[in-house]
Amino acid sequence: MDQYKEAGVDIAAGNELVHRIKKIAKQTRTRKNENEIGNFSGTYQLGSKSILASTDGVGTKLMIAQEAQVYDSIGIDCVAMCANDILAQGAQPLFFLDYLAVGQNNPEKLEKIVKGVADGCIDAEMELIGGETAEMPDMYDKDEFDIAGFTVGICETNDLLTNKLPQEGDILIGLPSNGLHSNGYSLVRKILFKDHHYSLDDKLEILNNESLKDELLKPTKIYVKAVKKLLESKLIHGIAHITGGGLLENVPRMLNEKLQAVIDTDAWEPNPIFKLLKEEGKLDDANCYRIFNMGIGLVLCVDPNNYQKVCSQLESENETYFKIGKLEARASGDSAIKLLKGGKNIQ
């Protein structure tokens, strides 16, 4: 059973839309560009350098923020979703613009939202250079709002992380998430509030007596500081940002058709929120790892010869990491990723 589709999100339809958009976008090409739509960020080559761009929003996590009337962290989520995507292609994010759509302009509330955007930009080491606020009372109720953002980054074209770099035998390193980040909230809301009638103020033992409000509004982790020196030292073959689609959909995006990622899910312990959602939603492992990040926010692909250097650099940044798998040759008919639990395939 596809519980995410029952909650109103159709991953297969989303993948079909991307496939259709690729055909449309090709018609707009004005110069040679080997990077297809479907990567973590868009790429525009300018001679020896490449400009990268990413745009995203926060999704239905906004509905939790609106109900809880907590506005000071949701902007961080918007920045993180864009900055981490730029990072995944090997670039340093440079600047950010936000777009706020509101039912009624409440300067005090909007200031808190934008302060969160600025906090995220500081963490991602980039500038907030502008944005747009649109007041649309016919579109939104007076207390409703939406936020989206746009990030631009840059790197040398030769330093782009493409699917040509990962090699058989490369090691996969997982950097932990701090929770749900900004994905899967349509299903989260269905499980916790529609099906089981929890309250945002409920403090649950499984969450170490933290309130659901605090758990669900933890801002998405930004990985720029942890990873940028690894990129500068050319120690990374690939990066996967684990967003919508989870490990199952996102890890294959950094690989070519000759490789398979083999990941041991026993290598780390998912955050308690995922255990709660799995139990209350009666989710199987395949659904969990296709919908949620399950405790891993970023996956690094590294040459075994560079593994210790990468670990040392992560430790110098006080970044926790897990050795979660490796790349193997993909046999004909095999999927791009194999998830193991107790040595058994869980897809």
Side-chain angles (χ1 to χ4, degrees):
M1 179 172 62
D2 188 341
Q3 286 100 327
Y4 207 15
K5 190 173 182 178
E6 284 192 344
V9 180
D10 190 334
I11 293 177
N15 291 337
E16 180 186 344
L17 176 60
V18 171
H19 178 71
R20 294 185 180 206
I21 289 173
K22 284 182 180 181
K23 297 179 181 179
I24 297 171
K26 278 186 177 180
Q27 301 172 21
T28 71
R29 292 282 169 83
T30 59
R31 62 184 69 195
K32 182 180 178 182
N33 188 344
E34 295 180 357
N35 295 283
E36 296 285 345
I37 285 179
N39 291 331
F40 289 98
S41 56
T43 307
Y44 189 83
Q45 292 176 228
L46 286 174
S48 65
K49 296 188 182 296
S50 284
I51 308 298
L52 293 93
S54 176
T55 185
D56 211 336
V58 182
T60 56
K61 186 174 187 176
L62 286 174
M63 300 179 75
I64 305 291
Q66 289 168 8
E67 183 178 347
Q69 297 184 26
V70 174
Y71 308 113
D72 56 357
S73 63
I74 205 74
I76 300 175
D77 288 288
C78 193
V79 173
M81 298 300 285
C82 297
N84 290 339
D85 274 354
I86 294 285
L87 194 70
Q89 299 297 133
Q92 170 72 36
L94 297 175
F95 58 79
F96 188 84
L97 293 95
D98 62 359
Y99 171 79
L100 272 167
V102 301
Q104 184 177 80
N105 192 339
N106 181 325
E108 182 179 359
K109 180 170 74 175
L110 298 188
E111 181 186 19
K112 291 178 181 178
I113 297 170
V114 176
K115 175 61 165 58
V117 173
D119 289 343
C121 287
I122 291 169
D123 197 10
E125 300 184 344
M126 62 179 175
E127 295 185 26
L128 174 60
I129 64 169
E132 171 70 12
T133 301
E135 189 171 16
M136 297 184 285
D138 292 335
M139 182 74 72
Y140 300 94
D141 289 340
K142 67 173 185 172
D143 293 324
E144 289 182 341
F145 67 92
D146 197 3
I147 183 171
F150 179 85
T151 306
V152 168
I154 191 169
C155 72
E156 296 293 327
T157 297
N158 290 337
D159 292 337
L160 278 171
L161 296 183
T162 71
N163 64 8
K164 296 177 182 179
L165 294 176
Q167 302 293 319
E168 181 181 354
D170 280 356
I171 294 172
L172 299 176
I173 299 173
L175 305 188
S177 68
N178 61 8
L180 286 159
H181 284 183
S182 297
N183 300 103
Y185 274 79
S186 293
L187 182 57
V188 169
R189 289 169 43 252
K190 179 180 184 298
I191 291 172
L192 297 181
F193 305 122
K194 294 180 182 179
D195 295 345
H196 292 282
H197 308 292
Y198 283 101
S199 164
L200 283 174
D201 293 322
D202 286 343
K203 296 183 178 181
L204 307 181
E205 184 177 351
I206 194 172
L207 300 179
N208 300 313
N209 294 315
E210 186 174 34
S211 72
L212 271 177
K213 175 179 67 177
D214 290 341
E215 175 63 43
L216 298 181
L217 289 178
K218 286 179 179 176
T220 303
K221 185 175 177 180
I222 295 173
Y223 295 93
V224 173
K225 292 177 182 177
V227 173
K228 68 172 187 175
K229 288 184 179 178
L230 295 173
L231 292 173
E232 291 169 357
S233 301
K234 298 179 172 52
L235 293 174
I236 302 295
H237 279 174
I239 297 177
H241 182 203
I242 311 306
T243 57
L247 286 162
L248 280 171
E249 298 280 346
N250 285 292
V251 171
R253 295 170 68 183
M254 67 174 171
L255 305 178
N256 61 61
E257 67 279 358
K258 297 180 181 179
L259 296 171
Q260 180 184 59
V262 180
I263 294 178
D264 179 8
T265 62
D266 292 324
W268 75 95
E269 184 68 27
N271 316 50
I273 184 64
F274 299 113
K275 182 178 180 182
L276 173 66
L277 291 167
K278 181 178 181 181
E279 291 176 353
E280 296 288 42
K282 296 181 172 56
L283 304 174
D284 60 23
D285 286 324
N287 263 309
C288 286
Y289 285 92
R290 183 171 281 108
I291 298 168
F292 305 123
N293 66 61
M294 295 303 287
I296 298 294
L298 208 72
V299 175
L300 310 179
C301 174
V302 304
D303 186 309
N305 295 320
N306 292 330
Y307 176 70
Q308 289 302 328
K309 292 180 183 178
V310 171
C311 293
S312 295
Q313 178 59 41
L314 291 171
E315 289 165 7
S316 73
E317 297 290 341
N318 297 314
E319 178 61 53
T320 302
Y321 61 90
F322 307 99
K323 184 179 180 180
I324 65 172
K326 61 182 179 179
L327 298 185
E328 296 182 352
R330 192 197 313 185
S332 177
D334 281 354
S335 62
I337 183 170
K338 182 189 295 183
L339 292 184
L340 303 176
K341 189 176 186 65
K344 296 182 178 178
N345 196 337
I346 64 174
Q347 282 122 287

